[in-house]
């Protein structure tokens, strides 16, 4: 089990800084093993696991603090950041996995789900669907993934996730089957089931009161849309914790993806610290959002055509500059170069670009490359033969980027899409690892002032630093706005209920 931990020091008027380190904890799994049979619920087991890890971690942090080992400094002009990678990390024998006992319950029926969207939207949806199935005491059929979305990846669940681990690690919560039993399959083939898109941002009571009776009546219910179908807030903590358990424990990528991910991280680590830049400057993003700042006329036309060609992208007439000034556009590569430099990111740091093809190619990447010469991506770190099996599968390639993003010293997304949010939340879970959450609305205004000469570099840089001092993925409360779920913080970006243990007093340590 890889556990990452970060601790807050109070930098007073200055910046709140995080202490980061990566250590492999091998003991934790064994400590609990003898207790395992006592705990019937995996939630309990999981909480114990977290507490154990936290306890061990506290001691590790203290030991490290004593050791006074100072790691590489990535952010210039910021307080020193101790960064230690102890030797334990080198032994990476996988922790032995003992499956929990099956939960015995009266099955109320079968739930089929078809996820929609890209990898990370589906990831969050899978967590929600498991949680709903658990709560309704139904049997979940392994979720079907979206093959018709923009990315048109033919991958099925088991091409991306370790399906057996998914099923067994959750079996003390809910029964999950790879497919319907033959008798029910017949019924479904005959159309004897109920299909519907559940209402977005619903409370669990909606599923109890509206969906459960349908399951009982039809035996098989198919939820044919899954994005954001469970509320961010106002849910019992065991529901929130189960969402996390699925996200952080049960969903594991296939061994091929894990292997490639570890290989990339090893190559990067050998050369020192690295930053992952989720540069969401890809054609689909720009066509969809209508953000054309920095594009030439031919490109603008190409993006516009693509937007009009895709029927489910509803917004067609878009004022790019207005949208950009509202902070609704991904930063361009040029803007990103300025911002990273202004933040004081070391120009020699390795920057791993977690993205598909950058729109405009080399021309648009030139300024970023000249500011940060050590730009790498999976295609430059691995041999083509290593990527052969996954390169035509956008979701599997995205999964690889996800793994590298989790491991990085700093994660910077240039847009707040699903990948940015889910990775942000996962990094919080791994010990509030540094994620720089760019304030794009503020930044584009400052960038324009700087490039028009009405703001000096030094002022630009210090305002940018100041504005982001508290946007580093440190602990904070999730924003709750009753009645406006779209404007709230996304549960998966800050799964607070699963992080609180880190703040609680540790009496026994
Ligand atoms: C689910 O099963 C548990 C017992 O395992 C029971 O307490 C609960 O009421 C059941 N819920 C539903 C919705 O059937
Ligand atoms: C979901 O099912 C409903 C009811 O059968 C149908 O009207 C709707 O088009 C389906 N949606 C999708 C995305 O398949």
């Amino acid at each position: 089990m890889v556990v990452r931990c970060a601790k807050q020091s109070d930098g007073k008027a200055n910046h709140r800084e995080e202490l980061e380190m990566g250590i492999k904890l091998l003991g934790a799994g064994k400590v609990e093993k003898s207790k395992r049979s006592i705990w019937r619920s995996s939630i309990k087991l999981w909480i114990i696991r977290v507490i154990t890890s936290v306890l061990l971690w506290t001691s590790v942090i203290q030991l490290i603090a004593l050791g006074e080992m100072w790691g590489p400094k990535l952010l210039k002009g910021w307080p020193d950041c101790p960064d230690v990678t102890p030797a334990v990390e080198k032994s990476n024998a996988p922790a032995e996995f003992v499956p929990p006992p099956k939960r015995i319950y009266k099955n109320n029926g079968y739930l089929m789900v078809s996820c929609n969207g890209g990898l990370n939207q589906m990831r969050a949806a899978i967590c929600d669907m498991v949680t709903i199935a658990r709560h309704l005491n139904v049997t979940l059929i392994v979720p079907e993934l979206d093959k018709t979305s923009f990315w048109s990846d033919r991958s099925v669940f088991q091409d991306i996730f370790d399906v057996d681990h998914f099923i067994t690690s959750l079996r003390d919560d809910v029964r999950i089957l790879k497919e319907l039993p033959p008798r029910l399959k017949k019924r479904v083939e005959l159309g004897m089931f109920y299909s519907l898109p559940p209402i977005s941002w619903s409370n669990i009571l909606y599923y109890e009161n509206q969906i459960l009776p349908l399951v009982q009546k039809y035996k098989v219910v198919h939820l044919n849309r899954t994005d954001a179908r469970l509320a961010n807030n106002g849910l019992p903590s065991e529901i929130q914790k189960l969402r996390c358990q699925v996200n952080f424990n049960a969903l594991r990528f296939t061994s091929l993806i894990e292997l490639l991910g570890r290989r990339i991280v090893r190559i990067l680590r050998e050369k020192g610290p690295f930053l992952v830049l989720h540069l969401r400057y890809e054609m689909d993003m720009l066509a969809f959002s209508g953000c054309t700042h920095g594009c030439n006329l031919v490109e603008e036309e190409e993006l516009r055509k693509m937007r009009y060609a895709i029927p489910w992208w509803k917004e067609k007439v878009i004022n790019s500059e207005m949208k950009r000034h509202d902070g609704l556009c991904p930063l361009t590569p040029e803007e990103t170069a300025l911002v990273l430099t202004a933040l004081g990111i070391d120009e020699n740091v390795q920057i791993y670009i977690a993205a598909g093809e950058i729109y405009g190619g080399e021309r648009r990447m030139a300024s970023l490359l000249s500011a940060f010469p050590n730009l790498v991506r999976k295609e430059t770190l691995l041999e083509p033969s290593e990527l052969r099996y996954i390169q035509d599968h956008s979701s599997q390639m995205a999964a690889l980027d996800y793994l590298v993003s989790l491991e990085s010293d700093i994660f910077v997304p240039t847009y707040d899409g699903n990948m940015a949010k889910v990775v942000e939340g996962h990094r919080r879970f791994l010990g509030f690892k540094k994620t720089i959450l760019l304030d794009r609305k503020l930044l584009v205004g400052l960038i324009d002032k700087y490039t028009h000469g009405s703001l000096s570099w030094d002022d630009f840089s210090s305002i940018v630093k100041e504005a982001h001092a508290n946007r580093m993925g440190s602990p904070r409360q999730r924003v709750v706005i009753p009645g406006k779920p779209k404007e709230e913080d996304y549960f998966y970006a800050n799964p607070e209920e699963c992080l609180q243990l880190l703040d609680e007093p540790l009496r026994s340590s």
Side-chain angles (χ1 to χ4, degrees), residues 195-197 224-225:
S195 187
L196 80 161
N224 66 11
R225 275 188 88 78

Side-chain angles (χ1 to χ4, degrees), residues 114 116 194-197 222-225:
S114 297
N116 59 294
Y194 196 91
S195 187
L196 80 161
H222 173 217
L223 302 179
N224 66 11
R225 275 188 88 78

Side-chain angles (χ1 to χ4, degrees), residues 7-222:
K7 204 176 184 179
Q8 290 255 256
S9 69
D10 32 35
K12 288 196 179 161
N14 222 324
H15 320 288
R16 304 175 87 195
E17 260 303 308
E18 290 166 17
L19 158 66
E20 272 195 19
M21 66 213 83
I23 293 189
K24 225 158 202 184
L25 254 195
L26 296 170
K30 288 180 187 140
V31 178
E32 314 139 12
K33 218 182 286 172
S34 58
K35 297 179 189 163
R36 204 173 295 247
S37 58
I38 303 167
W39 300 105
R40 274 193 305 246
S41 127
S42 74
I43 297 176
K44 280 184 196 159
L45 174 63
W46 187 66
I47 291 172
I48 294 292
R49 199 175 291 164
V50 172
I51 293 174
T52 317
S53 307
V54 168
L55 291 177
L56 285 169
W57 264 105
T58 317
S59 358
V60 170
I61 289 167
Q62 281 163 357
L63 281 174
I64 285 163
L66 285 174
E68 276 189 3
M69 297 154 72
W70 297 87
K73 203 172 150 194
L74 281 191
L75 287 165
K76 287 182 292 190
W78 291 71
D80 273 343
C81 167
D83 182 321
V84 183
T85 308
V88 215
E89 186 164 55
K90 295 197 180 88
S91 65
N92 52 6
E96 215 176 303
F97 176 67
V98 180
K102 284 184 187 169
R103 172 170 163 244
I104 311 292
Y105 61 98
K106 186 180 153 292
N107 183 34
N108 285 326
Y110 294 79
L111 190 67
M112 293 168 72
V113 301
S114 297
C115 299
N116 59 294
L119 176 70
N120 294 293
Q121 182 169 311
M122 295 195 285
R123 182 186 181 104
I126 292 165
C127 303
D128 289 350
M129 294 299 139
V130 167
T131 304
I132 290 162
R134 162 69 174 84
H135 197 79
L136 301 184
N137 295 346
V138 296
T139 298
L140 179 71
I141 307 304
V142 169
E144 186 192 21
L145 302 187
D146 197 335
K147 296 180 194 67
T148 62
S149 74
F150 172 81
W151 298 275
S152 65
D153 185 339
R154 301 174 310 283
S155 303
V156 294
F157 189 97
Q158 35 272 75
D159 293 329
I160 297 173
F161 299 107
D162 179 341
V163 70
D164 294 318
H165 175 75
F166 177 67
I167 292 173
T168 50
S169 68
L170 287 166
R171 69 186 194 174
D172 58 347
D173 277 306
V174 62
R175 188 162 70 124
I176 303 175
L177 298 178
K178 289 183 186 167
E179 51 179 30
L180 284 169
R183 185 176 52 85
L184 290 160
K185 227 172 162 179
K186 277 255 161 57
R187 280 176 66 108
V188 166
E189 279 160 14
L190 295 170
M192 294 161 71
F193 69 108
Y194 196 91
S195 187
L196 80 161
I199 294 172
S200 301
W201 293 296
S202 290
N203 194 286
I204 198 74
L205 292 175
Y206 162 80
Y207 290 93
E208 249 175 57
N209 300 334
Q210 309 286 318
I211 305 297
L212 185 58
L214 291 172
V215 177
Q216 285 164 331
K217 186 167 171 197
Y218 293 90
K219 278 286 153 244
V220 181
V221 162
H222 173 217

Side-chain angles (χ1 to χ4, degrees), residues 428-496:
R428 286 177 188 276
F429 177 76
L430 295 175
F432 301 103
K433 300 182 78 177
K434 189 170 280 153
T435 298
I436 305 185
L437 303 163
L438 300 176
D439 182 345
R440 293 189 309 276
K441 188 172 170 161
L442 175 91
L443 286 172
V444 295
L446 292 173
I447 289 167
D448 288 350
K449 279 192 188 151
Y450 168 68
T451 49
H452 295 143
S454 58
L455 189 64
S456 73
W457 174 260
D458 288 346
D459 288 343
F460 173 64
S461 174
S462 68
I463 300 172
V464 170
K465 277 182 185 155
E466 185 69 30
H468 291 88
N470 284 322
R471 299 176 67 103
M472 296 272 177
S474 321
R476 69 178 173 99
Q477 287 201 318
R478 196 165 63 239
V479 173
V480 179
I481 310 175
K484 290 188 177 170
K486 262 190 192 173
E487 292 164 37
E488 290 180 332
D489 284 346
Y490 187 40
F491 171 78
Y492 291 98
N494 186 1
E496 223 189 308

Side-chain angles (χ1 to χ4, degrees), residues 337-355:
L338 282 176
V339 169
L340 294 182
T341 309
L343 281 167
I345 301 289
D346 186 334
E347 66 197 297
N348 293 312
V349 74
Q350 303 174 87
I351 297 189
Y352 175 94
I353 310 280

Side-chain angles (χ1 to χ4, degrees), residues 225-487:
R225 275 188 88 78
T226 57
D227 57 305
R229 303 293 143 159
L230 196 55
N232 291 314
N233 300 300
L235 295 171
S237 84
E238 72 267 16
I239 297 264
Q240 302 292 49
K241 290 198 164 108
L242 182 54
R243 290 169 113 176
C244 294
Q245 197 200 337
V246 182
N247 196 9
F248 306 136
N249 273 350
L251 284 180
R252 199 149 88 184
F253 293 123
T254 60
S255 49
L256 173 64
I257 297 172
E258 292 272 343
L259 178 89
L260 294 175
R262 278 198 297 274
R263 193 168 293 169
I264 291 179
V265 171
R266 180 158 29 86
I267 295 169
L268 289 163
R269 283 258 171 262
E270 272 167 11
K271 294 193 188 143
F274 67 101
L275 178 153
V276 167
L277 179 65
H278 180 40
L279 186 58
R280 189 73 172 91
Y281 205 76
E282 295 153 302
M283 188 176 183
D284 67 297
M285 177 72 221
L286 303 178
F288 168 75
S289 65
C291 292
T292 55
H293 185 78
C295 295
N296 60 35
L297 289 175
V298 177
E299 289 170 336
E300 275 179 32
E301 184 54 20
E302 181 182 47
L303 294 170
R304 200 186 61 83
K305 275 201 183 126
M306 182 178 187
R307 178 164 66 257
Y308 277 80
I310 299 197
W312 59 92
W313 289 353
K314 297 278 185 266
E315 202 186 352
K316 301 293 184 195
V317 183
I318 295 173
N319 180 333
S320 171
E321 282 312 305
M322 249 167 73
K323 214 162 166 177
R324 174 172 174 270
H325 280 283
D326 286 338
L328 300 176
C329 287
L331 291 186
T332 66
E334 295 85 357
E335 289 169 340
T336 305
L338 282 176
V339 169
L340 294 182
T341 309
L343 281 167
I345 301 289
D346 186 334
E347 66 197 297
N348 293 312
V349 74
Q350 303 174 87
I351 297 189
Y352 175 94
I353 310 280
E357 212 174 306
I358 301 303
Y359 191 63
E362 281 177 22
R363 177 173 58 84
R364 297 305 301 278
M365 289 298 282
S367 59
L368 190 57
L369 186 61
S370 88
F372 298 94
N374 294 321
L375 287 188
V376 295
R377 39 194 310 143
K378 48 192 166 315
E379 292 85 353
T380 62
L381 295 175
L382 296 181
E383 297 297 326
S385 61
E386 292 176 290
L387 284 172
R388 179 176 54 194
Y389 298 107
I390 71 166
Q391 70 191 2
D392 293 331
H393 300 277
S394 55
S395 293
Q396 297 180 43
M397 294 287 265
L400 193 49
D401 280 343
Y402 186 98
L403 284 178
V404 182
S405 300
L406 288 187
E407 291 290 321
S408 64
D409 298 281
I410 301 182
F411 175 64
V412 185
T414 57
Y415 186 72
D416 51 6
N418 286 292
M419 161 132 176
K421 287 179 184 163
V422 179
V423 170
E424 175 195 339
H426 205 149
R427 289 175 62 87
R428 286 177 188 276
F429 177 76
L430 295 175
F432 301 103
K433 300 182 78 177
K434 189 170 280 153
T435 298
I436 305 185
L437 303 163
L438 300 176
D439 182 345
R440 293 189 309 276
K441 188 172 170 161
L442 175 91
L443 286 172
V444 295
L446 292 173
I447 289 167
D448 288 350
K449 279 192 188 151
Y450 168 68
T451 49
H452 295 143
S454 58
L455 189 64
S456 73
W457 174 260
D458 288 346
D459 288 343
F460 173 64
S461 174
S462 68
I463 300 172
V464 170
K465 277 182 185 155
E466 185 69 30
H468 291 88
N470 284 322
R471 299 176 67 103
M472 296 272 177
S474 321
R476 69 178 173 99
Q477 287 201 318
R478 196 165 63 239
V479 173
V480 179
I481 310 175
K484 290 188 177 170
K486 262 190 192 173
E487 292 164 37

